[in-house]
């Protein structure tokens, strides 16, 4: 009886050992499957490619023939040797560089991923870049011009402020009667004392130290200005060549006037020249004698 009990116990222990051994073996096999996955062969001919003018870029390479390959979500077919060719079309006109994502999948293999860089050389992109550069250039030139104008204005204001601060009330303004002909170098020299502004059709007569003695505004033989109906306009033309604070102090006739500038303590005579039809063809602004 005792022998039978010992035998049964031995059988049960052996069975338990085999069960544990088998279970351990299966776990090892499963673990081995997880750790022994192979790498999918994926090679790219060029890791950086450039589009043509139509935005087309060619991606070529070789992949495991049994693997499933996709580029940016699109399934790519390969031949029996695993060679593949894929045309990627870039529609963007603003992106200089695009990244194509490749992924190869095969059962019991680790996924293989790769990124191909695509340089955008499409006509749409290049045209857009050229347009943006032109805009930037125009904006830069405009900003530079505005900066120079602001700088020049600041200088003029500084000069005016300095002049006011020093109470230099006796210095006439440049390019006005009694003032200095500062624009002399840009004018046409008629003779030693006469200089003409061809654009404005104005003749300057100077004396010593380039001081302006007289300004002649030539309105031309075809002038249609009347001394009465166009009086305000004619007056404004003459005032451009006198100090800004001048006032009319005497009307000699309807063609001759006397003005005074308190700031420089000077007087001017303004005279109209008329043609036979009564139109004003010239205005003389002269230092009063």
């Amino acid at each position: 009886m005792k022998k039978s009990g010992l035998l049964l116990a031995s059988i049960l222990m052996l069975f338990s050992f085999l069960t544990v051994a088998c279970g351990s073996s299966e776990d090892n096999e499963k673990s081995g499957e997880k750790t022994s996955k192979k790498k999918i062969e994926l090679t790219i001919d060029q890791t950086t490619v450039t589009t043509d003018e139509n935005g087309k870029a060619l991606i070529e390479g070789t992949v495991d023939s049994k693997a499933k390959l996709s580029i940016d979500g699109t399934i790519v077919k390969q031949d029996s040797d695993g060679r593949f060719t894929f045309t990627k079309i870039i529609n963007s006109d603003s992106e200089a560089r695009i990244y194509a994502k490749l992924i190869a999948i095969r059962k019991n293999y680790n996924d293989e991923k790769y990124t191909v860089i695509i340089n955008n050389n499409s006509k749409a992109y290049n045209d857009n870049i050229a347009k943006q550069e032109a805009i930037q250039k125009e904006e830069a030139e405009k900003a530079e011009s505005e900066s120079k104008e602001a700088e020049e204005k600041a200088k003029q204001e500084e000069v005016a402020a300095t002049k006011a601060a020093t109470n230099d009330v006796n210095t006439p303004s440049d390019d006005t009667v009694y003032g200095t002909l500062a624009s002399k170098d840009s004018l046409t020299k008629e003779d030693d004392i006469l200089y003409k502004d061809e654009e404005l059709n104005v003749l300057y007569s100077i004396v010593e130290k380039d001081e302006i003695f007289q300004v002649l505004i030539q309105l031309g033989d075809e002038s249609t200005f009347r001394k009465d109906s166009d009086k305000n306009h004619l007056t404004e033309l003459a005032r451009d060549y006198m100090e800004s604070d001048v006032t009319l102090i005497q009307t000699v006739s309807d063609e001759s006037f006397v003005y005074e500038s308190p700031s420089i303590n000077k007087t001017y005579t303004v005279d109209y020249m008329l043609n036979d039809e009564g139109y004003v063809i010239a205005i003389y602004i002269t230092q009063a004698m």
Side-chain angles (χ1 to χ4, degrees):
M1 186 69 180
K2 291 181 178 179
K3 290 182 179 180
S4 297
L6 290 170
L7 180 61
L8 180 59
S10 298
I11 292 172
L12 288 172
M13 288 177 64
L14 178 61
F15 179 76
S16 298
F17 174 78
L18 291 174
T19 301
V20 172
C22 288
S24 176
S25 177
E26 288 181 6
D27 290 342
N28 288 337
E29 286 182 9
K30 290 179 180 179
S31 177
E33 288 178 1
K34 291 180 181 178
T35 58
S36 64
K37 281 188 176 182
K38 299 179 182 179
K39 181 179 179 181
I40 298 175
E41 294 295 329
L42 174 62
T43 58
I44 308 299
D45 291 358
Q46 291 180 296
T47 57
T48 301
V49 295
T50 302
T51 71
D52 61 14
E53 66 174 10
N54 297 314
K56 295 180 179 180
L58 207 60
I59 301 175
E60 297 179 296
T62 304
V63 67
D64 185 331
S65 60
K66 295 181 180 180
K68 182 179 179 181
L69 176 66
S70 65
I71 299 179
D72 290 338
T74 301
I75 300 300
V76 179
K77 292 182 180 181
Q78 63 264 26
D79 61 20
S80 58
D81 295 324
R83 287 292 300 172
F84 66 87
T85 299
F86 180 77
T87 301
K88 177 72 176 178
I89 299 177
I90 307 302
N91 295 315
S92 174
D93 66 353
S94 60
E95 295 179 278
R97 182 171 292 174
I98 296 91
Y99 300 91
K101 307 292 185 181
L102 288 74
I103 181 169
I105 301 173
R106 181 178 175 182
K107 188 177 181 181
N108 295 328
Y109 281 70
N110 289 321
D111 295 350
E112 185 70 13
K113 298 178 181 179
Y114 209 95
T115 299
V116 173
I117 301 171
I118 303 175
N119 292 322
N120 193 350
N121 191 41
S122 65
K123 185 177 184 299
Y125 172 75
N126 290 330
D127 287 350
N128 184 49
I129 292 300
K131 180 180 178 181
Q132 295 303 319
E133 289 177 347
I135 292 173
Q136 291 174 2
K137 181 180 179 182
E138 182 179 350
E139 291 177 346
E141 290 176 347
K142 181 179 178 182
E144 183 180 2
S145 176
E146 290 176 348
S147 176
K148 288 182 178 179
E149 288 178 2
E151 184 178 348
E152 183 63 27
K153 183 178 179 181
K155 288 181 179 179
Q156 292 174 356
E157 291 176 348
E158 183 179 355
V159 170
T162 302
K163 182 177 180 180
T166 56
N167 198 28
D168 190 9
V169 296
N170 295 317
T171 303
S173 301
D174 289 344
D175 296 328
T176 64
V177 174
Y178 291 107
T180 301
L181 185 59
S183 59
K184 179 179 177 180
D185 292 339
S186 64
L187 304 178
T188 301
K189 184 176 181 180
E190 300 285 322
D191 58 36
D192 290 341
I193 64 168
L194 294 178
Y195 289 84
K196 185 174 184 179
D197 186 325
E198 300 288 353
E199 183 178 355
L200 298 178
N201 209 19
V202 172
L203 192 65
Y204 296 89
S205 174
I206 62 175
V207 289
E208 293 181 358
K209 297 181 180 179
D210 292 337
E211 179 183 318
I212 299 173
F213 174 75
Q214 184 182 73
V215 171
L216 169 59
I217 304 173
Q218 298 172 312
L219 300 176
D221 293 335
E222 303 300 322
S223 170
T224 58
F225 295 116
R226 292 287 188 181
K227 60 184 178 181
D228 296 323
S229 58
D230 296 302
K231 180 179 180 180
N232 290 338
H233 177 67
L234 296 171
T235 299
E236 288 303 313
L237 290 177
R239 290 176 68 93
D240 285 341
Y241 300 94
M242 297 184 283
E243 291 299 317
S244 58
D245 66 340
V246 293
T247 56
L248 178 65
I249 61 172
Q250 182 182 0
T251 300
V252 180
S253 69
D254 57 359
E255 300 171 16
S256 183
F257 313 89
V258 179
Y259 287 82
E260 182 181 49
S261 168
S263 64
I264 62 172
N265 194 29
K266 298 290 185 181
T267 55
Y268 311 79
T269 59
V270 175
D271 299 286
Y272 298 156
M273 175 183 287
L274 280 60
N275 62 13
D276 295 339
E277 288 76 30
Y279 292 109
V280 179
I281 60 173
I283 304 172
Y284 292 88
I285 306 98
T286 312
Q287 293 184 9
M289 302 303 291

